Every structure is written in structure tokens, then in C-alpha cells.
Amino acid sequence: MIRYFFYSLLALLSSGAAANPGDMPAEQQMAVQYIQAITDHDYRTLASFYNRDSVFFDRTASKKYTGRRDILEFFERAHRGVLEYDFNIEHMYNSGSLVIMIGNYHYRGPGSLFGKPGKVIELAIPGVTTVDVDLANHRIREHEDLMDYQTMNDQLATQ
């Protein structure tokens, strides 16, 4: 009986684990494309998402950037020397144009950026990213990150 339950549960979990991107609401699809451009360091595509009113706000670090030029300059500086960078979205939902993504940011890059020269640092930082999308104009109105910098500091202490 327990073995039957286990196999039934396994079959259920494996049958529909991943949704097709086309099954997501348009707002979520746009948010995923946008995050992909950031993590791929694709500044040309990224620039197409912004206008002069777009805002990027890293609330945890209390940093706010407004407009295409300032936001792109920030990402170019932040990505300098990075070997790997991605966002593993564990849960995503939206309320109208506001898309909420919960997951982990994975970073692998030079330790010199964190006061550890000569080392390669690997971090997995839990975070929540919200993106307010303008579907009609294919623009990002606002992107806000809330990152668990305490976890990052704990991970840095062991490297």
C-alpha cells in the first residue's frame, strides 16, 4: 500500500512539473524575457525594455536608478568580471501588470569585488524580484529587488 502511494505520488509529480512558456500570462512571459536579458548580460535587448521613466530599485541596498542610461550603466558595472549569473525562479505570479518572482540569484565571479582578491566566489542569494510591466509599449516601469544580504554575508564568511 505504501509502495503504491509512493509510485502514485511520483507519477503525479513528474507528469506536469514544467509549464510551457506559452501557458504563462503575457506579463509573466515578458518578465522572464527581461530577467533573461539581465542574466545573459544582453544590454541591447535590455535597453529595449527601458525608457527615461523606468526605475530599478534595489530596496535592500537602498539604491535607486531611473532611466535607461542609469540603469544600464549600473548593470554593466555590476556584471563586470562576472563568470556566471542567473536567477532560479522558484515561484512566480502576477496581479495585473505586477509580476512577482521568488527564487535564488546565483553568482560566480571574482572575489576582489567582495574583499577576497585571488578567489572565485560563489553565492546563492534568496530574493524576491518584482517587475511592473507595460505590455502595450513593451517596457519595464519598475523593477525592484529584495535580496537576503545576510545570507550573502554568511556565505562570504565561509569562502
Side-chain angles (χ1 to χ4, degrees):
M1 183 64 121
I2 293 175
R3 186 176 4 191
Y4 175 76
F5 173 74
F6 174 73
Y7 289 127
S8 298
L9 183 61
L10 188 60
L12 277 174
L13 290 174
S14 62
S15 66
N20 291 324
D23 295 341
M24 285 189 272
E27 294 85 358
Q28 291 182 20
Q29 290 179 42
M30 184 175 158
V32 169
Q33 291 168 356
Y34 168 68
I35 293 296
Q36 191 66 49
I38 292 173
T39 59
D40 286 348
H41 307 188
D42 183 353
Y43 303 114
R44 174 181 236 159
T45 300
L46 201 52
S48 73
F49 283 103
Y50 301 129
N51 63 21
R52 63 186 171 141
D53 298 321
S54 297
V55 174
F56 170 74
F57 189 29
D58 183 348
R59 183 174 295 281
T60 316
S62 298
K63 301 281 184 186
K64 185 175 185 177
Y65 303 91
T66 303
R68 177 183 294 131
R69 185 176 1 160
D70 286 349
I71 296 169
L72 288 173
E73 285 175 1
F74 164 75
F75 280 123
E76 287 173 357
R77 277 192 318 274
H79 293 159
R80 205 167 286 136
V82 171
L83 302 171
E84 292 176 26
Y85 177 63
D86 62 10
F87 183 42
N88 178 29
I89 301 170
E90 296 170 3
H91 188 69
M92 177 171 51
Y93 59 96
N94 68 293
S95 177
S97 65
L98 182 65
V99 180
I100 297 91
M101 295 168 276
I102 302 166
N104 282 286
Y105 283 92
H106 174 257
Y107 166 87
R108 186 171 168 266
S112 58
L113 297 174
F114 299 96
K116 297 183 179 268
K119 290 187 171 189
V120 173
I121 299 295
E122 286 201 48
L123 301 169
I125 307 166
V128 176
T129 292
T130 63
V131 180
D132 186 11
V133 300
D134 175 354
L135 279 178
N137 296 305
H138 193 71
R139 296 289 186 261
I140 299 299
R141 288 187 195 106
E142 185 170 300
H143 168 176
E144 184 171 3
D145 283 338
L146 295 161
M147 310 287 275
D148 183 353
Y149 287 116
Q150 183 58 53
T151 295
M152 181 183 82
N153 289 334
D154 293 346
Q155 291 174 24
L156 284 170
T158 63
Q159 296 186 50

